[in-house]
Amino acid sequence: MTTASPAVAFPGRARAAAALQRAGALAAAHPVALAVALGVLVRASHVLAADFPLNDGGMFHAMVRDLQANGFALPATTSYNGLGLPYAYPPLGFYLAAALDVLTPVPLDDLLRWIPLVTTALTLVAFAGLAARLLPTRPLRVAAVAAFALVPRSFVWLLMGGGLTRAPGVLFALLALGAVHDWCVRGRWRAALLAALCAGLTVLSHIGTAPWLAVSIVLFFLWFGRSRRALAGMAVVAGGATLVAAPWALAVVRVHGWAPFRAAAAAGNAVWSSGATAWQVAVALARFGVTMTGESFFPLVGVLAVLGGVLLLPRRQLLLPVWWIASLVVDPRQGATFASVPVALLAAVGACEGIWPLLRRAAGEAAAPGLERWFPAAVAAAALLYATAGALVSDPRYAGEASLLVALDASDRAAMRRMATLTPAASRFVVVSGRGWFYDPYSEWFPVATGRPSVATVQGTEWLPAGAFRRQQKLAQQLQRCGGGTAACLDRWAAAWRISFTHVYVPRGVLSTCCAPLVGSLRADPRWRVVYDGPGAIAFARVPAPPAAR
């Protein structure tokens, strides 16, 4: 009696084996490209899960419309939230979105999704080029790109609607650093000119990225340059970047003077700005930065980065550890995003030079046949799968910054539009969601969707003088605490900050976690009446006092 061969009896097994073999050959031939593709897939999964810009971007939406209404000339102020804010934000992203909105059939709301996604995907390519310059071997480069692709801090704040400016800023900064390294190592003048152009475009995209880029360029000069020729190139980079950004900066100064830039610099939350900020940075450094990678569940990439730094210290290869620390110090608010660059590079060192040799040794000492070949690869694949799953998490119930990648749904937007028809044009709202101002899409998008001011919205006040930004942050923080209180809490808050408002808006999506007590109190208070109670929100209007009481 004869038996059929496995290939005949189980043809599916043969096809699966052939597919695995082809996948292995592809991975061996183009591992960096596959790591980049993985990062694009992770980023696209978040954007495609929503039909509206993720988290923030409301102010930028208004500024793009202001630019279009002014015939593509820079307006003096922006209409956002009715505050007369200086139109001082770097405008490159606004021009891009405004032009595409006019030249293509893609609506502006969708452009605030697609431009950050495409630009953030390009940062993967720019990072891969930088890793090829800084890391000596192919496995290190592949591991670094994979780490950068999956660590949430490398993409979370760039994918949001506000990534219209943040993502190009990081992209041009990475391109500038690659050109700076090329200049320091090879001394080619075209590299210095390219670095100058990219540095200038960084400033024109996102001025908050410029200090990190400047510090990074200095570190590159100290490690790779330290010659008169390199110093001359750095002067070319600084001068060229200034020339590229000067037309915009001078246009703002001509209208507003230097006050908006001084205010923005003061709002940057530098490490020396306050004792609380300095303590925050000290705690982060004491934890070796592993809590600032934004990872869900367990900071795998952060721990590998710490291991990589430990391995480099005895060799006196200090660029990457120093760069990590400098990134956190130069801008405590955004530093973790910038630090994702040295973190990914260090994680590659920790994985390839720390963990991988241990896995190979453990497999070689095992008695099971074939384990030496498959055990390290299986552990690496499990770690990669784990990191990928963590990068995909957007459920707010789980830790990790990727959970911030949520957008207003259709009912939220419809409820806000209803406010424009149900309330007078002179209405002044407080939006109570219980969230911090930097991840509160309700407060930021409300003025855009309704045409009514939100008196506690923070966005844009960083360009106002006299500490307006810090004041607005405290004001917003105290307002959100009233979500768990009563109408009397709102009265005390308004009296303390000398603010008047006519309406209260509570998103329905936050009632289970925040604001049910406040809503119940407002319903029972005769001074307030319900003007909207439907999908998306509950809104209250203040009942005018009788003439005698007035």
Side-chain angles (χ1 to χ4, degrees), residues 282-326:
V283 170
L285 295 177
R287 294 175 177 174
F288 298 103
V290 296
T291 60
M292 302 184 71
T293 58
E295 296 175 82
S296 301
F297 313 127
F298 177 79
L300 176 63
V301 175
V303 170
L304 289 175
V306 172
L307 177 60
V310 171
L311 293 174
L312 292 179
L313 288 179
R315 311 176 202 172
R316 297 185 180 180
Q317 297 176 359
L318 303 180
L319 171 61
L320 297 182
V322 171
W323 196 10
W324 188 1
I325 294 172

Side-chain angles (χ1 to χ4, degrees), residues 359-372 375:
L359 293 175
R360 293 286 298 271
R361 185 181 307 169
E365 294 175 354
L371 187 61
E372 182 177 0
F375 178 71

Side-chain angles (χ1 to χ4, degrees), residues 173-190:
L174 291 175
L175 293 174
L177 290 175
V180 167
H181 181 271
D182 191 19
W183 162 253
C184 290
V185 173
R186 301 181 181 180
R188 295 189 294 187
W189 282 106
R190 65 180 182 181

